[in-house]
Amino acid sequence: MLMEDVLKHPTRVLSNRQREQFVEEGCLVVEDVADEKWLKRLNQAMQDMVDASREITESDDRFILEEGHGPETPRLRRLSSPVTHHETFWEFASQSKSADVAADLCGPDVKFYHSKLNFKWPKGGHKFDWHQDIPAWPHTDYSPVTVGLYLDDCTSEQGPLLGIRGSHKPPMHSMYDKDRNWTLRIPEEDLPSGWQDDVVELKGPAGSAVIINCRVIHGSAANASDRMRPILLNVYSSADSMPYMANPIPNPYEGAIVRGKPARFSCHDPRGCELPPDWSGGYVGPWQHQSR
Ligand SMILES: O=C(O)CCC(=O)C(=O)O
């Protein structure tokens, strides 16, 4: 659904001001999207998965490991598709305020796409280069939205997400380098002058959601603190927005309607999208591409 049509519907959980800010800036932090009860369940589910990773020695399609990972010292970059591996994550994605937030930003009929749980381990937890998400998973419109939930407090030292306000509006950057390697990375020299003034730190207490428009330029710094920074990222779109390339993180819930009803017609934004490599043979995660 195009934003002009989304705006014809009243919001469920966001204020009109918050929605206007998202439309203008392309990113937003909303506190209290998960209450204490959800946080307790989600943190337990996360701990179960961290424990399951202790026996893993190489990254696979479930865990992306960070250097130094071992049975006694788990260090993860990502749990891919948490909704596939623990039912609490799917309950949260489909039955909590997270899906209501998505409905306020992509229209009343909301479809689930995929999820990931990104960690930043204390004293390390890699930097994430500036990038735009949608070329990795193009859809027929730009309604897809990521609702990222901080499972613990996130301060400036822990490497919060950073967004560049308003960067979802101009034509998009290429996610390939000049030799046509997919890098999912925008070199800082390619950003418009004065971009630093528009950087916003998307941080907040546990239970806050960081909401990212699929075109907005974002990234994050390394974790300089001695606290972990887990963020649960759920991607939704309006029901009439159709993905047309393989999902890099395939999962049994792709296409599930989590609010409203299924679409009868597809929605098409006239602005085309750069295409990613073919992920159907497997996806290694963004860090490997960015390190090129
Ligand atoms: O985990 C992070 O810090 C950044 C995540 C991100 O930008 C992404 O998954 O697209």
Side-chain angles (χ1 to χ4, degrees):
M1 182 176 270
L2 302 180
M3 189 50 88
E4 68 219 50
D5 295 319
V6 173
L7 296 176
K8 292 176 187 156
H9 296 271
T11 59
R12 295 169 181 236
V13 291
L14 298 182
S15 65
N16 285 332
R17 194 139 176 249
Q18 284 173 313
R19 184 157 73 173
E20 277 160 26
Q21 185 180 342
F22 180 80
V23 172
E24 264 323 289
E25 301 188 354
C27 49
L28 180 70
V29 177
V30 180
E31 293 191 7
D32 298 322
V33 168
D35 60 14
E36 282 303 316
K37 244 166 129 181
W38 270 122
L39 283 173
K40 197 161 168 227
R41 291 185 63 200
L42 291 165
N43 273 291
Q44 183 57 55
M46 175 178 78
Q47 194 51 53
D48 293 348
M49 296 312 302
V50 170
D51 286 339
S53 77
R54 291 175 190 270
E55 63 197 44
I56 305 293
T57 54
E58 267 179 35
S59 297
D60 56 21
D61 54 13
R62 196 166 42 143
F63 296 110
I64 300 182
L65 308 181
E66 185 166 288
E67 302 83 47
H69 174 86
E72 302 306 321
T73 54
R75 287 182 77 86
L76 303 177
R77 286 192 185 169
R78 171 176 283 181
L79 166 64
S80 299
S81 196
V83 294
T84 306
H85 305 299
H86 202 300
E87 64 186 19
T88 300
F89 292 119
W90 173 241
E91 277 182 47
F92 181 74
S94 56
Q95 294 170 33
S96 73
K97 231 167 143 179
S98 176
D100 293 322
V101 167
D104 286 349
L105 300 174
C106 57
D109 303 323
V110 182
K111 200 161 69 171
F112 181 78
Y113 184 57
H114 72 206
S115 69
K116 45 232 170 178
L117 172 50
N118 281 3
F119 300 90
K120 266 192 207 278
W121 233 258
K123 302 279 180 228
H126 279 242
K127 154 179 197 273
F128 217 113
D129 292 328
W130 296 118
H131 64 286
Q132 290 166 305
D133 283 339
I134 194 69
W137 24 269
H139 284 57
T140 53
D141 67 16
Y142 292 101
S143 69
V145 62
T146 298
V147 181
L149 184 82
Y150 283 127
L151 299 186
D152 197 356
D153 298 346
C154 181
T155 61
S156 305
E157 294 69 44
Q158 284 162 271
L161 259 81
L162 305 170
I164 301 186
R165 271 191 286 253
S167 57
H168 58 311
K169 291 185 178 172
M172 286 194 297
H173 291 256
S174 176
M175 295 301 123
Y176 291 85
D177 68 12
K178 58 179 182 4
D179 299 319
R180 285 294 295 161
N181 299 304
W182 174 262
T183 56
L184 194 71
R185 169 172 186 273
I186 305 171
E188 289 191 350
E189 56 272 23
D190 290 356
L191 294 172
S193 67
W195 63 272
Q196 294 89 340
D197 298 339
D198 290 318
V199 173
V200 52
E201 256 191 345
L202 302 162
K203 58 188 180 178
S208 304
V210 174
I211 305 159
I212 306 273
N213 171 282
C214 66
R215 297 171 58 101
V216 83
I217 300 175
H218 62 286
S220 62
N223 183 356
S225 78
D226 47 20
R227 274 179 81 168
M228 215 229 268
R229 191 234 56 180
I231 187 167
L232 174 63
L233 300 151
N234 283 309
V235 181
Y236 307 90
S237 74
S238 50
D240 57 4
S241 177
M242 310 311 286
Y244 49 83
M245 297 291 288
N247 191 334
I249 309 181
N251 67 91
Y253 303 107
E254 180 185 343
I257 299 296
V258 294
R259 290 291 179 273
K261 54 184 188 327
R264 290 185 57 213
F265 294 91
S266 55
C267 175
H268 295 258
D269 189 298
R271 296 167 297 175
C273 188
E274 184 174 47
L275 300 176
D278 180 4
W279 306 127
S280 55
Y283 177 65
V284 293
W287 295 273
Q288 207 161 312
H289 296 292
Q290 290 195 339
S291 67
R292 268 175 188 277

